Amino acid sequence: MNTNKETEREMQQAIDHLVEELKNIRTGRANPGMVDGITVEVYGAPMKLRDIASVTTPEMRQLLITPFDQSNTSTIGKAIEKANLGFMPIVEANLVRINIPPMDDNLRKEMVKLLHKRREEAKVSIRHVRAKYNKQAKADSNISEDQAKGMEKKVQELTDKYCKIVDERCKEKENDISSI
């Protein structure tokens, strides 16, 4: 039973999910990940913004969205407004500009609170993986009790390792939120 690789793979998935979630938490600077979740209705089908336009940050507090097809510019602007992310797009001839307003103390606190929630969700996910593999080890009649204990110890070491990674990623993000 090769649980270590499976356990690590599932715990890494929790980290990957956390990283995606952290992109959506605002800091004081512009980040292309802020608009990753936006879906735009083009060509009769919903498409991800990143699939129909390039998103760059020419300045610390500005996003520049350049559609691959210029005829989608106003549709992209409307989709950003509809997403209700807390900033208004400025639709120009062939691009969409978003000025990111500076964060006040209340917004910073809200973002930190959201960050802590995401951190705890990631840790809970990792602990679920631990519980799943510990349960499998105990239920496996082909291994001895000592082997099961050894497997549980390895799973706990992986749990500690991945929970530490979660804490490190979240600490970096919290520093980003507080620094600007």
Side-chain angles (χ1 to χ4, degrees), residues 100-118:
I100 310 298
M103 294 189 349
D104 63 4
D105 284 340
N106 287 337
L107 186 55
R108 283 182 206 282
K109 287 176 185 171
E110 286 299 313
M111 292 299 113
V112 169
K113 198 183 298 185
L114 180 60
L115 172 67
H116 289 247
K117 181 179 176 194
R118 296 292 183 255

Side-chain angles (χ1 to χ4, degrees), residues 1 135-145 147-148 151:
M1 190 163 144
K135 186 176 179 182
Q136 282 181 6
K138 287 178 183 173
D140 191 344
S141 60
N142 297 329
I143 61 173
S144 70
E145 193 175 321
Q147 287 173 316
M151 291 172 75

Side-chain angles (χ1 to χ4, degrees), residues 1 11 24 29 43 52 67 73 76 118 149 158 164:
M1 190 163 144
M11 289 182 178
N24 297 324
R29 68 174 61 97
Y43 313 118
I52 62 168
T73 306
I76 290 171
R118 296 292 183 255
K149 292 275 186 215
L158 289 173
K164 184 177 180 193

Side-chain angles (χ1 to χ4, degrees), residues 25-176:
I25 296 177
R26 269 190 66 187
T27 62
R29 68 174 61 97
N31 172 4
M34 297 169 84
V35 293
D36 270 354
I38 295 178
T39 304
V40 183
E41 185 79 30
V42 291
Y43 313 118
M47 297 181 75
K48 292 282 186 192
L49 178 61
R50 67 175 172 260
D51 294 337
I52 62 168
S54 69
V55 182
T56 58
T57 54
E59 296 176 24
M60 187 174 90
R61 287 204 174 113
Q62 188 176 83
L63 288 175
L64 197 60
I65 301 165
T66 310
F68 302 135
D69 178 353
Q70 307 305 325
S71 66
N72 293 328
T73 306
S74 63
T75 309
I76 290 171
K78 288 175 186 159
I80 293 168
E81 272 183 57
K82 187 177 173 185
N84 199 20
L85 299 175
F87 35 76
M88 287 298 293
I90 301 165
V91 178
E92 297 175 2
N94 58 354
L95 56 89
V96 178
R97 187 179 312 274
I98 299 174
N99 293 317
I100 310 298
M103 294 189 349
D104 63 4
D105 284 340
N106 287 337
L107 186 55
R108 283 182 206 282
K109 287 176 185 171
E110 286 299 313
M111 292 299 113
V112 169
K113 198 183 298 185
L114 180 60
L115 172 67
H116 289 247
K117 181 179 176 194
R118 296 292 183 255
R119 178 181 63 200
E120 194 53 39
E121 288 169 355
K123 286 183 173 185
V124 166
S125 180
I126 290 168
R127 290 183 198 120
H128 280 298
V129 174
R130 175 186 63 193
K132 172 184 169 183
Y133 285 100
N134 283 345
K135 186 176 179 182
Q136 282 181 6
K138 287 178 183 173
D140 191 344
S141 60
N142 297 329
I143 61 173
S144 70
E145 193 175 321
D146 287 343
Q147 287 173 316
K149 292 275 186 215
M151 291 172 75
E152 285 180 23
K153 184 178 181 210
K154 288 179 183 174
V155 169
Q156 184 59 48
E157 287 169 1
L158 289 173
T159 302
D160 294 344
K161 171 186 167 185
Y162 281 93
C163 283
K164 184 177 180 193
I165 292 170
V166 166
D167 287 336
E168 289 168 355
R169 296 282 169 99
C170 289
K171 186 68 180 161
E172 290 170 13
K173 187 70 172 190
E174 191 168 348
N175 289 339
D176 285 347

